């Protein structure tokens, strides 16, 4: 169980990282219509509060759009 739990924890930690590529993709999708909608704001707040590491470009995007955790 210890090895299984260690693998699971490593997988969770890796999933909590927002890479530069992922951030760029997300920003591109959110900027399509130029408006950040309420559901998108909720998603971004969730990401900000749960990601262990956020790419700088997404962090700046969140700050510019006043998205807090």
């Amino acid at each position: 169980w210890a090895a299984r739990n260690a693998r699971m924890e490593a997988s969770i930690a890796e999933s909590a990282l927002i890479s530069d590529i992922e951030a760029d993709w997300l920003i591109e999708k959110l900027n399509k219509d130029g408006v950040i909608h309420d559901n998108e704001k909720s998603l971004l707040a969730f990401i900000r509060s749960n990601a262990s590491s956020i790419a700088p470009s997404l962090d700046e995007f969140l700050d510019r759009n006043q998205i807090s955790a």
Side-chain angles (χ1 to χ4, degrees), residues 17-24 53-60:
L17 303 173
I18 306 295
S19 71
D20 291 326
I21 293 170
E22 293 167 328
D24 292 344
S53 177
I54 298 175
S57 60
L58 182 56
D59 200 38
E60 291 170 13

Side-chain angles (χ1 to χ4, degrees), residues 10-69:
S11 177
I12 290 168
E14 182 180 342
S15 298
L17 303 173
I18 306 295
S19 71
D20 291 326
I21 293 170
E22 293 167 328
D24 292 344
W25 178 88
L26 181 59
I27 292 167
E28 178 186 334
K29 299 302 178 194
L30 292 171
N31 278 329
K32 282 230 181 221
D33 66 0
V35 177
I36 306 297
H37 300 278
D38 288 341
N39 60 331
E40 295 168 333
K41 288 178 183 178
S42 295
L43 171 64
L44 293 169
F46 177 83
I47 290 171
R48 179 161 256 179
S49 67
N50 289 286
S52 61
S53 177
I54 298 175
S57 60
L58 182 56
D59 200 38
E60 291 170 13
F61 181 82
L62 296 173
D63 287 343
R64 270 194 319 271
N65 290 284
Q66 300 175 346
I67 305 296
S68 59

